[in-house]
Amino acid sequence: GQNDYRNREDKQWDSQKTSGCKFSGNPQRHDGRSHGGNKKSKCDSTGKNERCSYQGGLRTFRGHFGREKYAGRREGKSMHDFNQKVIPSLATVKEFKKFMDSEEEYAILMEFHLSAIGNLVKEAHAKGKKILLHMDMTKGISGDEVGCEFACQVLQVDGILSSRVRVVEATKKFNKIAILRIFLLESTSLDRGIAVCKALKPDYAEVLPGIASSILPYISKETGIPLLCGGLIKTQEQIDACLEAGACAVTMSEWYQ
């Protein structure tokens, strides 16, 4: 189990620094070939530990919260863009089944027990879907670098969300999508979050609560990091406000209602 990973030496971390396309989910040699069957996706990196620049267009989110006017608009500077404007946050098996029957590619698992996550990830991958794990809200796994290693190596999740700097750092080492969560409580927390983003350079930063969307342009300008919005978002108007303010996507638990 998870304890088997606590005694690994630092050199094993280095062994994970393979070059490859993070968007495709499979580390591979950079040879300029397209990934995932997308003819517009091309890896233009040449050096070791470089990342792939995904050049495909965005498709329209076809769920309850339709976003036709955002179709084709490419936002953010991440090495891989989400192909949807609303990313479901799943906390029950019922919600997971709805996600599996939907057209959405990415979803976030939260509140699940460790024993169930492996099978859910395998089931999602079998249908070509991607799973992001909320490390701060997962039961039965330590929310540190060791837990992150277990999630990336054994559970084979496609990305990690966490408010912990060392977890996000470890996620990047394993060539997974690294998302730093930033809680906006007051000006001090805003300044601290911006400073951490600049130093850490995660793939994305999730700004919480999402209803504070008016601050997104300032955060984007200061950090240059693609932003997600999450927390207390329940209406189409709130989703629109986040996207108009520059968010790449919105994370929400009531996406299917």
Side-chain angles (χ1 to χ4, degrees):
Q2 189 181 154
N3 291 332
D4 294 340
Y5 289 84
R6 294 186 180 274
N7 297 322
R8 290 193 173 184
E9 300 178 359
D10 291 339
K11 64 181 181 180
Q12 288 184 300
W13 285 88
D14 297 332
S15 67
Q16 302 302 321
K17 297 179 180 180
T18 57
S19 62
C21 173
K22 294 177 69 177
F23 191 89
S24 68
N26 296 315
Q28 54 186 295
R29 188 175 184 85
H30 287 285
D31 53 10
R33 292 178 296 180
S34 62
H35 301 288
N38 190 323
K39 296 181 179 179
K40 295 182 179 181
S41 175
K42 184 179 180 181
C43 178
D44 57 6
S45 300
T46 56
K48 198 170 185 179
N49 296 328
E50 294 283 330
R51 297 176 185 171
C52 173
S53 177
Y54 178 70
Q55 300 173 353
L58 291 173
R59 67 175 173 83
T60 303
F61 173 70
R62 299 187 180 91
H64 176 71
F65 298 103
R67 297 301 306 137
E68 281 77 7
K69 71 178 181 178
Y70 291 100
R73 191 177 83 179
R74 192 171 189 271
E75 298 151 323
K77 301 176 182 179
S78 177
M79 299 303 176
H80 36 243
D81 290 336
F82 291 113
N83 292 338
Q84 61 203 77
K85 291 303 177 185
V86 175
I87 303 175
S89 295
L90 314 176
T92 66
V93 174
K94 178 181 178 181
E95 293 173 358
F96 179 79
K97 290 181 178 179
K98 288 182 178 293
F99 164 66
M100 292 297 290
D101 292 335
S102 74
E103 297 181 351
E104 306 319 311
E105 181 182 11
Y106 285 88
I108 300 168
L109 291 187
M110 53 186 288
E111 301 291 351
F112 281 93
H113 192 277
L114 172 64
S115 60
I117 294 174
N119 288 334
L120 295 179
V121 172
K122 289 179 181 178
E123 186 176 345
H125 286 175
K127 291 193 67 173
K129 296 178 178 289
K130 307 289 180 62
I131 296 297
L132 309 174
L133 184 63
H134 195 318
M135 284 292 294
D136 299 345
M137 299 182 67
T138 298
K139 302 174 183 177
I141 188 171
S142 60
D144 56 16
E145 313 95 289
V146 177
C148 178
E149 181 178 3
F150 187 83
C152 294
Q153 293 277 71
V154 179
L155 302 180
Q156 291 294 305
V157 298
D158 300 286
I160 297 286
L161 295 88
S162 179
S163 58
R164 297 177 173 89
V165 171
R166 297 187 69 178
V167 171
V168 177
E169 287 178 332
T171 304
K172 294 176 65 177
K173 288 182 179 180
F174 287 108
N175 208 35
K176 304 292 185 177
I177 301 174
I179 303 174
L180 175 68
R181 308 182 77 225
I182 301 176
F183 294 91
L184 301 181
L185 303 177
E186 71 288 303
S187 296
T188 301
S189 61
L190 172 61
D191 294 340
R192 184 185 303 113
I194 289 175
V196 172
C197 275
K198 287 181 177 180
L200 188 58
K201 294 182 174 19
D203 294 307
Y204 292 91
E206 183 187 24
V207 179
L208 300 104
I211 55 175
S213 58
S214 60
I215 198 66
L216 293 184
Y218 175 74
I219 298 176
S220 179
K221 179 181 177 181
E222 290 294 314
T223 66
I225 302 296
L227 303 177
L228 307 177
C229 272
L232 303 180
I233 298 177
K234 295 182 178 295
T235 68
Q236 179 66 59
E237 290 72 23
Q238 291 171 332
I239 294 174
D240 291 348
C242 291
L243 297 175
E244 292 285 3
C248 296
V250 173
T251 64
M252 62 184 300
S253 56
E254 300 178 4
W255 65 284
Y256 61 89
Q257 297 181 359

